[in-house]
Amino acid sequence: MILQADERVRRPMPTEPLTRPGGDGDGPSKPDVKRPDTNELLKRMRRVDPDQARRYRQRSGQ
Amino acid sequence: MNRLLGIETEYGLYVEGRGVADQILESVNLLRCCPFPAVKGAWDYRLEDPRRDMRGFRVEQLAVDPHDAQIEREHPISLSERETRSDHVLTNGARLYNDHAHPEYATPECRRLMDLIAQDKAGERILLACAQAYQRQSGATVKLYKNNTDYHGSSYGTHESYLLLRSVNFDTLASTMTPFLTTRMIYAGAGKTGVEVNPNPRVPYQISQRADFYMDTMNVETLYRRPIFNTRDEPHARLRDYRRLHVICGDANMSEYATALKVGTTALVLDLLEDGWAANFFIIDPVKTAQSISRDPDGKWLVETDDGVMSAIDIQRRYLQAAQERYTGRDAETDWILREWETVLNLLETDPELLGNRLDWVAKRQLLSLFAESEGVPLDDPAMIALDLAYHDIDPVEGLYYALVEQGRMQTLVSREEVDYAMQNPPTDTRAAIRGLCVQRYTPQVESLNWERIILRNEEQTVRLDLSQLTGDTRDLNRRLTAASTITEFVQLLQSPRRASKTDEEESS
């Protein structure tokens, strides 16, 4: 499924407020919606070093 | 929410040229570069008891991952326990330390979801600053990942803590929470490329990072044989009054929305339990069910229960419906959770791709699909694991989650200013503010501290401040403490019989 950002950004954001520090009751902020551009995403993804996952080894934690 | 909440996240750590044998030292080195004011090396472990089980016993020892134990044996380190732990308590009341070779940030106790989201994101920013400082010092590339796996079989945790009344019967708590936690991943999963078990089923992508590591439905373990329902009995509050639900089966969410929904729904189920409601069904095999749901992101998520086969969505709806009947209109935060919970379940049923701006597992899969289609590579190409990892890179300049945020493709719930504020300041309505004030003002006097106690030494006098009963809204007290002009006044405000103790009674008990 290719990103269908147009559909998503048109969908209304939640309008009911969540309480916030200070208790002012502002709602969740809308994202700063710019024109979706998958080229920028692809550029960022192409910059990812494909060998990083091979190098990435971790100690087990909790 | 009418309870204390917190999230503790162990971050994945990569330091160029260093391997797993060096990871404890590298984690310590990174924490030594912490550029924020803190009380260091003073965490008080005396009240911790991770082997105590809610079922009324204490295990002899906790299980350890055999592979990790081998690394420990073959590569011993020469640091002291204090150096290894590298404990920091920050001005926002958070704890920052080295936990099993992972830098861990534990948020201060919060009562409101938005505070928790801001504090969780503040943790990312604080650790990013540590990593950048260490990179400058060492000259090596240093990266931190907010995820739960190295994709080679090692997992590390993101745990949630929820304070609840001890009057909730253990059996009811466990039987009600287990189906909920088993199926919660359908909106709380962070997504993962591949599977980390042998034999390895060919699954290109699954919903949860953590499901591969579930080995038991219920136990007290966290390092190995990890359960869906953790029975650790360590309330960090007065034992006779409270439990702490220690959720260890969840994923690290990059999405603020997913974090809010995950924590908000879980807290509402605890509200139901405290109000006497209980689930009246159980899942036949929760571990197998969780892994089956996770590994079939496009499936129907059918679950075998003692009440017949039902979908994971319908199981979640049982909890949702009970919460809607009781809590609709209670407050704005509750209404947000109820509405979004319902919306998400409906969309998961009808068009899950529309959740790509809210849920991590959907957003990440869309990113990977975009790359796969553009570059003509299959979804199970090894390069996909690198992209999966990059989604969790907390550096906004390089991380793929942050690329989505930058483009307005992810719903965010807190502003940059709120996160900035949370990096330095605790929530105003919990006992974390008292801890934060001590770090801000009385660092030289802090002898030790933890979640429920602070010991101050002032002019040859040692004062124990007992926070174990301060579990409610402490806004008024915090306001008065903030106005205190001297440490003596600060201590006096806390020294009512219910709020502080100067005796050695606790130590000897």
Side-chain angles (χ1 to χ4, degrees):
Chain A
M1 176 71 189
I2 292 292
L3 290 163
Q4 295 177 340
D6 281 336
E7 272 184 48
R8 282 192 294 282
V9 296
R10 280 201 302 269
R11 189 175 177 278
M13 295 293 138
T15 51
E16 285 296 311
L18 283 170
T19 53
R20 297 183 158 218
D24 56 9
D26 289 348
S29 59
K30 288 186 180 181
D32 179 18
V33 178
K34 297 169 186 166
R35 188 69 195 156
D37 179 357
T38 55
N39 286 333
E40 285 303 313
L41 285 176
L42 284 166
K43 269 189 214 165
R44 175 94 67 116
M45 284 193 275
R46 288 185 192 118
R47 285 207 305 266
V48 173
D49 180 351
D51 286 334
Q52 178 65 358
R54 182 183 51 76
R55 288 191 292 260
Y56 183 66
R57 297 296 177 110
Q58 294 291 291
R59 293 283 299 269
S60 184
Q62 297 210 58
Chain B
M1 310 308 300
N2 190 29
R3 67 181 74 254
L4 294 182
L5 310 164
I7 298 175
E8 45 190 300
T9 305
E10 297 171 19
Y11 284 76
L13 170 63
Y14 170 79
V15 180
E16 184 184 7
R18 308 288 273 172
V20 288
D22 312 307
Q23 198 178 322
I24 291 177
L25 188 58
E26 293 306 321
S27 177
V28 168
N29 286 339
L30 179 139
L31 292 168
R32 282 178 179 153
C33 292
C34 177
F36 301 99
V39 169
K40 298 178 185 176
W43 191 259
D44 185 349
Y45 288 88
R46 287 173 293 182
L47 300 179
E48 298 195 359
D49 193 0
R51 291 186 290 125
R52 183 186 165 100
D53 194 299
M54 282 192 203
R55 291 169 288 184
F57 55 86
R58 183 178 276 103
V59 296
E60 283 293 313
Q61 58 184 27
L62 295 168
V64 293
D65 182 301
H67 177 62
D68 206 61
Q70 186 182 347
I71 296 171
E72 194 97 7
R73 279 195 305 275
E74 293 176 357
H75 303 281
I77 56 164
S78 56
L79 297 173
S80 68
E81 186 66 22
R82 187 172 184 271
E83 288 172 312
T84 302
R85 288 288 190 170
S86 294
D87 277 304
H88 292 59
V89 179
L90 305 172
T91 56
N92 63 0
R95 183 186 184 197
L96 178 68
Y97 75 118
N98 169 51
D99 192 359
H100 296 276
H102 297 269
E104 172 170 324
Y105 175 86
T107 67
E109 305 92 323
C110 301
R111 289 173 60 83
R112 293 182 286 188
L113 268 185
M114 284 305 93
D115 283 346
L116 185 63
I117 304 305
Q119 292 290 347
D120 184 55
K121 285 290 165 189
E124 287 184 30
R125 297 264 302 281
I126 287 165
L127 273 162
L128 178 63
C130 295
Q132 290 170 335
Y134 185 40
Q135 179 163 304
R136 283 193 296 274
Q137 185 198 81
S138 66
T141 299
V142 179
K143 297 194 81 62
L144 287 169
Y145 299 100
K146 190 187 188 192
N147 74 344
N148 303 106
T149 179
D150 71 350
Y151 308 88
H152 294 94
S154 288
S155 184
Y156 35 95
T158 300
H159 299 176
E160 303 141 55
S161 289
Y162 304 84
L163 199 70
L164 75 151
L165 298 175
R166 188 163 285 271
S167 56
V168 175
N169 170 275
F170 168 76
D171 290 334
T172 308
L173 173 66
S175 64
T176 293
M177 292 311 300
T178 301
F180 173 77
L181 292 173
T182 302
T183 53
R184 188 186 68 162
M185 72 172 77
I186 60 176
Y187 49 87
K192 181 168 81 171
T193 304
V195 177
E196 296 173 87
V197 292
N198 285 316
N200 192 327
R202 283 192 61 79
V203 175
Y205 189 80
Q206 57 174 316
I207 293 172
S208 164
Q209 297 234 316
R210 194 73 161 164
D212 285 344
F213 302 97
Y214 302 161
M215 293 174 73
D216 209 349
T217 300
M218 181 195 308
N219 69 36
V220 75
E221 306 292 347
T222 56
L223 290 162
Y224 193 59
R225 289 182 51 224
R226 297 180 187 90
I228 292 173
F229 183 88
N230 184 252
T231 54
R232 182 185 290 183
D233 192 3
E234 200 180 43
H236 299 316
R238 196 158 66 170
L239 188 67
R240 73 166 181 258
D241 294 333
Y242 295 104
R243 300 182 188 280
R244 175 176 60 117
L245 181 66
H246 185 224
V247 176
I248 74 158
C249 63
D251 289 358
N253 290 110
M254 297 299 293
S255 160
E256 297 172 13
Y257 180 97
T259 303
L261 195 59
K262 170 178 76 177
V263 174
T265 55
T266 307
L268 284 184
V269 177
L270 294 175
D271 286 349
L272 287 168
L273 279 160
E274 287 180 340
D275 287 342
W277 183 85
N280 57 0
F281 68 99
F282 60 86
I283 293 176
I284 302 298
D285 186 340
V287 172
K288 188 175 157 197
T289 297
Q291 290 169 347
S292 158
I293 293 170
S294 182
R295 293 170 194 169
D296 193 11
D298 295 316
K300 295 186 185 306
W301 304 329
L302 296 180
V303 178
E304 194 182 349
T305 77
D306 68 318
D307 197 21
V309 174
M310 58 181 102
S311 75
I313 292 172
D314 285 338
I315 287 176
Q316 285 288 316
R317 283 190 176 127
R318 288 198 176 196
Y319 294 87
L320 168 64
Q321 188 181 349
Q324 282 174 324
E325 284 168 6
R326 288 158 182 81
Y327 307 131
T328 297
R330 184 173 69 176
D331 54 59
E333 188 169 82
T334 300
D335 283 347
W336 183 88
I337 299 162
L338 292 171
R339 193 185 62 245
E340 297 304 314
W341 195 0
E342 181 174 26
T343 299
V344 163
L345 294 180
N346 289 343
L347 285 176
L348 284 169
E349 197 168 52
T350 57
D351 193 354
E353 294 302 325
L354 289 178
L355 293 164
N357 63 347
R358 279 159 278 184
L359 305 187
D360 283 312
W361 76 266
V362 182
K364 189 197 290 179
R365 187 167 72 163
Q366 290 178 348
L367 266 178
L368 298 184
S369 299
L370 173 69
F371 187 83
E373 290 187 25
S374 164
E375 309 300 306
V377 294
L379 266 175
D380 56 359
D381 189 281
M384 292 300 168
I385 301 179
L387 295 174
D388 185 330
L389 182 62
Y391 180 88
H392 299 271
D393 185 338
I394 62 170
D395 184 347
V397 177
E398 298 188 357
L400 297 183
Y401 164 77
Y402 282 106
L404 294 174
V405 172
E406 197 178 286
Q407 292 207 349
R409 294 177 186 269
M410 293 298 287
Q411 286 193 19
T412 56
L413 301 179
V414 292
S415 67
R416 175 157 185 113
E417 292 72 28
E418 285 165 319
V419 178
D420 282 344
Y421 185 82
M423 289 170 71
Q424 309 277 351
N425 298 282
T428 55
D429 56 356
T430 74
R431 64 187 184 184
I434 301 168
R435 195 178 311 112
L437 278 171
C438 285
V439 178
Q440 289 168 23
R441 295 177 178 180
Y442 310 127
T443 293
Q445 288 83 26
V446 174
E447 189 172 288
S448 68
L449 71 178
N450 59 30
W451 299 115
E452 54 185 304
R453 182 171 69 184
I454 300 168
I455 300 181
L456 299 175
R457 177 175 284 277
N458 190 33
E459 296 171 355
E460 303 306 315
Q461 187 185 26
T462 300
V463 183
R464 286 185 178 81
L465 304 174
D466 176 11
L467 313 184
S468 68
Q469 295 172 75
L470 294 178
T471 55
D473 186 335
T474 55
R475 205 171 332 196
D476 289 341
L477 175 64
N478 295 340
R479 202 173 289 131
R480 282 181 282 133
L481 289 167
T482 304
S485 55
T486 65
I487 189 169
T488 304
E489 191 182 341
F490 181 87
V491 167
Q492 281 172 347
L493 280 166
L494 281 162
Q495 278 192 324
S496 75
R498 289 171 54 80
R499 288 186 180 146
S501 166
K502 283 174 68 175
T503 72
D504 288 328
E505 200 175 295
E506 195 177 1
E507 280 301 292
S508 59
S509 62

